[in-house]
Amino acid sequence: MIELLQGLLLLAGSLFMFVAALGVVRLPDLLTRMHASTKGASLGVMLLMAGVALHFLEEVVFARTIAITFFVLMTAPVAAHAIGRAGYFVGIELWKGTLKDELRPNYNPLSHRLHSGLKKTPRGADETAHHEDKGDREES
């Protein structure tokens, strides 16, 4: 019975990894490709590691599979976010079917900064609302 379960886990993990690879090859732009690679590959790694842990049934292997799964789940979304943000900042073109670009009104392409929570001062300059802290005030 354990062989059947481990076989199913390994097969399902391989299938998710294959679908993630297909997504990277077939999807139209960077952001959708990253979505496919992080979601599919993360689930695929979790299933593969569960199958490996069932195959060996040792505490050391189980601890390592948990560590590998935890590492992938912590690093894949952060890496995808960093790559997506860098790609957006260098000007990658979004897919023509993209319906909404929520960063465009908040992104300054000259300074490569995102502006959020901004309010306009009477002179028309941007001033962030979070600079009200005591540590950010300058002594005169």
Side-chain angles (χ1 to χ4, degrees):
M1 184 66 174
I2 287 184
E3 289 95 13
L4 178 65
L5 183 58
Q6 85 187 33
L8 287 174
L9 287 171
L10 292 174
L11 188 62
S14 300
L15 182 67
F16 274 100
M17 297 287 266
F18 179 71
V19 169
L22 278 179
V24 169
V25 173
R26 297 291 311 241
L27 289 172
D29 68 346
L30 174 71
L31 300 177
T32 55
R33 288 177 182 158
M34 285 186 335
H35 180 77
S37 67
T38 55
K39 301 291 183 187
S42 296
L43 183 57
V45 166
M46 287 187 333
L47 293 171
L48 285 173
M49 290 298 110
V52 167
L54 276 179
H55 177 73
F56 288 103
L57 289 176
E58 294 179 9
E59 290 131 6
V60 174
V61 174
F62 182 74
R64 287 181 182 175
T65 59
I66 293 293
I68 291 168
T69 302
F70 182 74
F71 179 77
V72 168
L73 289 178
M74 291 295 113
T75 58
V78 174
H81 176 80
I83 293 168
R85 185 175 171 140
Y88 190 87
F89 286 173
V90 297
I92 59 135
E93 291 192 27
L94 298 177
W95 176 48
K96 62 184 175 190
T98 301
L99 300 176
K100 192 173 195 181
D101 183 2
E102 293 180 354
L103 288 178
R104 180 163 301 201
N106 298 317
Y107 173 62
N108 182 352
L110 299 175
S111 67
H112 296 294
R113 292 189 180 256
L114 290 175
H115 303 283
S116 62
L118 296 177
K119 61 181 181 179
K120 295 287 184 183
T121 61
R123 291 179 280 171
D126 290 340
E127 180 178 317
T128 58
H130 68 278
H131 284 292
E132 298 293 324
D133 295 341
K134 291 180 182 178
D136 290 334
R137 291 185 191 162
E138 293 182 15
E139 298 292 327
S140 44

